[in-house]
Amino acid sequence: MANIWDPEQVVSEKLAKELVERQFPDLSPVTVTTLGEGYDNTVYLVNDCYVFRFPRRQIAVNLLNTEKGLLPKLAGTLPLQIAEPIYFGEPVEKVYPWPFMGYKLVRGNLPGVLTEEKRVESAVVLAKFLRALHDFPVDQAKALGVPPDMLGRLDIGKRKTALLERIDQMEALNLYGNVHNLRRYVEGTGPVALSEQQCLVHGDMHIRNLIVDGHHMVTGVIDWGDVHIGDPAVDLSIIYSFLPKRGWNLFFEHYGRVDDSTKALAKWKAAFTTVSLLMYGHDIGDQEIVEACSQSLDLILEK
């Protein structure tokens, strides 16, 4: 079956250099280094100071425009660094059809495989970050062009079949040792009512969108392409995919009370996202992603 991360267009290092130099001569001479690629964007480090993201799919263009309106307003208001856009590239006829953006670099590393102790150390700052984000005025976010959830990210009934198919693929490829317990959890989870609370959410909180420092503390959150007005469970999923069970209460002490239905939805979203990310890592041959996601799945399945 087709993968949701299959690109429609990929910007090469050579083309990225040409586009940036053509539109932002103040950055010349431009050096370009590949940082990575996600479902929606190809990402390059420019002059060791800026991150440029080039959409890989048409759907990513609207997401980029949402970031353009919102992130400058959020920058400096949250207890973690975020990627603030400062360069706004335009399409070039017959060369590249979509806008692209350059951001201040959030320095650090992706978390990868971490000890439980290191994960727990970030529980408080993650809680304070999400509390501040979810308290951002919804009316202001809407005025800045932030959309509602149009993808049914928490629709268990709609997404369960796709998740089970990916779990079957994982088992066939021998990608995860605890696949039977994972399938049992997914099969035993039915639809859960959404919260009446709607708030500004990052929309894609997972281990590839966190930045850690040299001490493995979370210091930044990147890739805001899925930001929307929605259920807080979408973001609270990071509790289950990043923190061990003994870090959950510490998180909630600083974030605030969360009802059982929201917790159940958050755990489901964590499983769905992590399985998809693990299969993506396998598809592109990145064993580090596979190993990190396997550790996240172990955390999700803790009882």
Side-chain angles (χ1 to χ4, degrees):
M1 68 178 176
N3 296 311
I4 60 173
W5 52 80
D6 291 340
E8 297 165 18
Q9 182 153 346
V10 178
V11 171
S12 66
E13 283 192 13
K14 180 175 181 293
L15 180 55
K17 177 179 172 66
E18 292 174 0
L19 289 169
V20 173
E21 284 188 335
R22 178 187 299 190
Q23 298 195 32
F24 307 109
D26 59 306
L27 296 178
S28 295
V30 167
T31 60
V32 174
T33 306
T34 301
L35 273 184
E37 54 187 38
Y39 291 5
D40 295 327
N41 299 279
T42 304
V43 187
Y44 293 108
L45 177 64
V46 170
N47 295 355
D48 197 37
C49 292
Y50 308 102
V51 173
F52 273 77
R53 295 167 66 216
F54 298 86
R56 295 160 60 85
R57 304 188 296 154
Q58 175 67 49
I59 192 174
V61 176
N62 288 339
L63 306 179
L64 208 69
N65 287 331
T66 299
E67 290 187 39
K68 181 179 179 179
L70 175 68
L71 295 189
K73 301 292 185 181
L74 277 182
T77 69
L78 301 172
L80 292 174
Q81 299 177 70
I82 65 172
E84 180 183 357
I86 53 177
Y87 289 101
F88 306 99
E90 298 293 335
V92 177
E93 188 176 0
K94 297 181 180 180
V95 176
Y96 183 65
W98 300 319
F100 57 96
M101 289 202 303
Y103 307 73
K104 291 181 181 179
L105 174 64
V106 179
R107 295 192 180 275
N109 300 296
L110 298 174
V113 174
L114 297 177
T115 65
E116 285 197 2
E117 288 72 20
K118 287 299 180 184
R119 291 173 181 274
V120 172
E121 287 176 4
S122 290
V124 173
V125 71
L126 279 171
K128 291 181 176 179
F129 168 80
L130 287 180
R131 182 72 276 158
L133 178 65
H134 294 171
D135 284 343
F136 188 88
V138 169
D139 289 344
Q140 185 178 347
K142 289 179 178 178
L144 292 169
V146 180
D149 180 11
M150 305 295 290
L151 301 179
R153 291 170 173 85
L154 296 175
D155 189 335
I156 296 176
K158 182 176 77 172
R159 292 180 173 246
K160 187 172 184 175
T161 299
L163 178 53
L164 288 170
E165 287 176 357
R166 291 199 177 103
I167 291 172
D168 288 342
Q169 290 179 310
M170 287 170 56
E171 183 174 24
L173 294 166
N174 196 29
L175 295 178
Y176 178 56
N178 202 14
V179 70
H180 297 297
N181 285 338
L182 176 61
R183 182 184 289 106
R184 188 178 301 116
Y185 161 69
V186 172
E187 289 176 341
T189 304
V192 178
L194 297 179
S195 168
E196 294 183 1
Q197 177 189 0
Q198 294 286 291
C199 60
L200 178 66
V201 295
H202 175 276
D204 202 21
M205 290 289 292
H206 59 68
I207 55 174
R208 302 296 290 182
N209 287 336
L210 299 180
I211 297 295
V212 298
D213 63 16
H215 301 288
H216 306 292
M217 281 285 294
V218 174
T219 56
V221 177
I222 59 174
D223 193 350
W224 289 72
D226 284 287
V227 66
H228 63 275
I229 306 299
D231 193 297
V234 170
D235 285 349
L236 294 173
S237 60
I238 196 64
I239 302 167
Y240 302 100
S241 62
F242 187 78
L243 296 177
K245 186 174 181 179
R246 61 190 178 90
W248 299 351
N249 286 340
L250 181 60
F251 178 96
F252 290 121
E253 284 176 15
H254 292 269
Y255 176 85
R257 182 183 176 279
V258 174
D259 61 57
D260 289 343
S261 293
T262 298
K263 291 178 180 178
L265 278 171
K267 188 173 182 178
W268 161 266
K269 180 63 168 65
F272 185 92
T273 298
T274 305
V275 168
S276 298
L277 190 58
L278 186 150
M279 291 303 301
Y280 166 73
H282 170 74
D283 192 57
I284 66 172
D286 192 324
Q287 187 59 27
E288 183 178 335
I289 293 179
V290 173
E291 292 176 359
C293 287
S294 295
Q295 189 179 37
S296 285
L297 288 173
D298 287 342
L299 294 173
I300 292 165
L301 295 174
E302 279 192 307
K303 296 183 178 180

